[in-house]
Amino acid sequence: AVRFANGRLRRPDSLRFTVYRNRDAAHPRKKHRRILVSETERLCYVGHNFGSEVMKCNSLCRYFVGVLDKNSGQMEVYNAEIFNMQPLLSGGRCWESQLGGCFVLLIPAFFLRGCGCGTSSGFCVLLGAQGVFNVCFCLMQMDLCIEAFGTSKQKRALSSRRMNAVGNDVVSMAVTKAAANVIDAKGVTALMQDVAQDDVQNISAFLPPCHEDADRPEHVYKFEDILSPGEYEALRVPAAALANITTEEMAKRAEERSLCSFVLEELKFMPTDERSRDHKARCLWFLDTLIKFSHLKVIKKKHPMGPECPHVISKKLMQNFTSMTYNDGSTQNLISASMKAKITAYVIALALHINNFQTDLTVLQNDMKLSESRILDIAKALRLKVSKAKVVSGLENDQNHKLGTLSLPLPTQKAPEGQRKRKKMN
């Protein structure tokens, strides 16, 4: 699989690629080295899977390509790599030193296609005695051959490549000058705000579906988007223990810290109506499970939350709140920073439904072991109005708490104000 560093191509189906592998097939590292070459009418592209410019995603993940047989319905899966194709702006080949005698042609695009590639360095591919493709360099003579005997397409490629033959130092100076002009025109503060805005947009990708045209707060983040009817029904049995919990059991749970602070505080104000009490118990049980799940790093068990957690809830947690990675040939699920931000957003949305759309963000922050700036950024991305409140409780009786309120009309989404001011030291 390939991606082009300078944008999308208009006609990707017209490209032909050539793959080279290292000759040293016995070396544990070199035998996996590949160089991928392609060209268009205007530019030549080169990508490789080794060196300082290799894509980090290939070391963090494994990629596969599936080929589906429509007749049999069977799919064959093959290992794949992603190559970042960089355009060659100068006439020389930046990868000549890597090819010189060390690489052989693995997958030719056209037979002897390289003999008329139209490059000023005269790179060509020749067929060797044992059917092995060797690499040679003809320097400037190949350009003369193309001018005399090349096809129209090869001549256009040669002319275009010569027009684009600019030095790397010129490109570097142009980029540096452009960056300086942007900084001078916009200012460092504005650029930092743009970065902060990008961070807010990244957080927004993990928020629950927001219905901005809602006429009531409960319709902005619908309860069905947090818990489907089937998932809500599955919570009836495990939540029964919270619905019928006694004062002594709550004291024991608080001592054992088997429930988070938010849930323990809300259990003190359970409704007397049986239906409302059951509904709140289900919400609190799922919220407590989400918070505990966010504390995990790598999920190694099939049922990480224990056997009492319904299968449909375990499946929801694994599919919606984990990222899949590969390690030693096997798949693993982990809770990345982005997934923890997603869990936090769903916890806040559920807490709003529990608390009549005003919730204590500081208690949730302490339960989820987050920094205040992080949970406030997520709350603002959820379009909450954040206010200060002095709360007197048994756990943090001297802590200034932040309240998040969901009210209509929704406030406009703003980026955080760059870096927060530091406190002055006397």
Side-chain angles (χ1 to χ4, degrees):
V2 298
R3 63 181 293 270
F4 290 86
N6 62 332
R8 295 183 178 180
L9 298 181
R10 294 180 179 178
R11 297 177 56 194
D13 54 338
S14 64
L15 287 179
R16 297 294 182 268
F17 295 88
T18 307
V19 181
Y20 298 88
R21 64 170 173 82
N22 196 286
R23 282 183 176 276
D24 193 353
H27 196 284
R29 290 198 301 266
K30 292 182 179 179
K31 67 179 181 180
H32 297 294
R33 292 182 175 181
R34 300 289 187 269
I35 294 178
L36 187 63
V37 183
S38 180
E39 67 172 312
T40 66
E41 294 183 358
R42 296 186 60 84
L43 287 175
C44 182
Y45 292 89
V46 176
H48 43 76
N49 65 350
F50 61 93
S52 59
E53 298 179 358
V54 66
M55 297 185 67
K56 300 297 183 182
C57 61
N58 286 323
S59 61
L60 298 175
C61 306
R62 289 183 62 189
Y63 295 89
F64 301 91
V65 174
V67 180
L68 178 64
D69 188 338
K70 294 183 179 180
N71 296 327
S72 63
Q74 299 294 321
M75 177 180 287
E76 295 185 4
V77 180
Y78 300 90
N79 289 313
E81 287 184 282
I82 294 183
F83 284 80
N84 188 33
M85 306 299 290
Q86 298 280 354
L88 293 182
L89 300 180
S90 61
R93 295 277 184 168
C94 65
W95 39 279
E96 287 178 359
S97 60
Q98 301 169 359
L99 276 176
C102 298
F103 286 79
V104 295
L105 184 61
L106 185 62
I107 306 176
F110 290 110
F111 185 73
L112 298 182
R113 175 180 174 81
C115 287
C117 64
T119 65
S120 59
S121 62
F123 169 74
C124 65
V125 180
L126 300 179
L127 182 60
Q130 300 295 330
V132 178
F133 285 88
N134 296 315
V135 178
C136 68
F137 299 96
C138 313
L139 302 177
M140 299 300 296
Q141 287 83 354
M142 186 55 62
D143 287 351
L144 300 177
C145 292
I146 293 173
E147 291 177 349
F149 307 106
T151 63
S152 299
K153 181 179 179 181
Q154 291 168 346
K155 291 179 180 179
R156 288 196 305 269
L158 175 59
S159 176
S160 176
R161 197 167 291 115
R162 284 175 172 175
M163 292 175 61
N164 290 317
V166 295
N168 292 333
D169 54 342
V170 177
V171 176
S172 178
M173 290 176 61
V175 172
T176 303
K177 184 178 180 181
N181 291 338
V182 171
I183 293 175
D184 292 339
K186 202 165 188 177
V188 177
T189 304
L191 291 175
M192 292 176 62
Q193 290 179 352
D194 289 345
V195 173
Q197 177 65 39
D198 292 339
D199 185 58
V200 170
Q201 292 175 353
N202 292 335
I203 294 176
S204 300
F206 300 97
L207 301 181
C210 179
H211 305 274
E212 297 186 7
D213 56 347
D215 56 350
R216 301 174 64 182
E218 56 265 32
H219 295 157
V220 176
Y221 299 105
K222 294 183 178 180
F223 187 80
E224 294 78 11
D225 294 331
I226 303 173
L227 278 170
S228 68
E231 295 161 353
Y232 180 78
E233 178 60 28
L235 294 174
R236 178 176 57 85
V237 175
L242 293 183
N244 302 317
I245 194 169
T246 61
T247 305
E248 293 77 11
E249 290 174 338
M250 278 196 293
K252 184 179 179 182
R253 291 288 194 101
E255 183 179 355
E256 296 173 349
R257 296 187 177 181
S258 58
L259 290 174
C260 64
S261 301
F262 181 91
V263 174
L264 286 172
E265 190 66 23
E266 289 300 321
L267 286 175
K268 299 176 182 178
F269 307 100
M270 293 292 285
T272 56
D273 178 66
E274 183 177 353
R275 184 174 180 178
S276 301
R277 189 181 186 91
D278 174 67
H279 172 75
K280 186 173 182 178
R282 297 191 198 195
C283 295
L284 291 175
W285 192 94
F286 183 65
L287 185 141
D288 184 73
T289 301
L290 275 178
I291 292 178
K292 291 177 180 176
F293 189 73
S294 70
H295 295 160
L296 303 178
K297 299 297 183 182
V298 179
I299 312 300
K300 299 181 179 179
K301 299 179 181 179
K302 188 175 182 180
H303 301 287
M305 305 312 297
E308 68 277 2
C309 183
H311 173 72
V312 65
I313 300 299
S314 295
K315 184 178 179 181
K316 178 185 182 70
L317 296 176
M318 297 295 287
Q319 289 184 348
N320 296 344
F321 301 107
T322 64
S323 302
M324 182 176 292
T325 184
Y326 294 90
N327 186 22
D328 295 332
S330 61
T331 60
Q332 287 183 340
N333 293 82
L334 57 87
I335 299 178
S336 60
S338 58
M339 287 295 105
K340 185 155 187 176
K342 183 177 182 179
I343 296 175
T344 305
Y346 276 75
V347 165
I348 294 176
L350 184 57
L352 291 172
H353 280 274
I354 295 173
N355 275 337
N356 197 23
F357 304 98
Q358 184 180 73
T359 190
D360 193 321
L361 297 174
T362 304
V363 175
L364 295 177
Q365 168 202 332
N366 294 332
D367 284 336
M368 301 197 71
K369 301 177 182 179
L370 297 172
S371 64
E372 183 181 84
S373 61
R374 185 60 171 169
I375 198 167
L376 290 183
D377 286 345
I378 297 174
K380 291 175 182 177
L382 285 167
R383 316 283 284 273
L384 302 187
K385 295 179 180 178
V386 179
S387 58
K388 296 181 181 180
K390 185 71 175 180
V391 177
V392 179
S393 63
L395 293 177
E396 307 109 358
N397 49 4
D398 293 329
Q399 188 174 4
N400 288 322
H401 284 227
K402 299 293 191 302
L403 295 179
T405 305
L406 180 63
S407 59
L408 297 178
L410 294 176
T412 56
Q413 198 170 26
K414 295 182 180 180
E417 297 178 358
Q419 294 182 345
R420 292 175 172 83
K421 295 181 179 179
R422 297 181 179 180
K423 294 182 179 180
K424 294 182 179 181
M425 301 295 292
N426 295 326

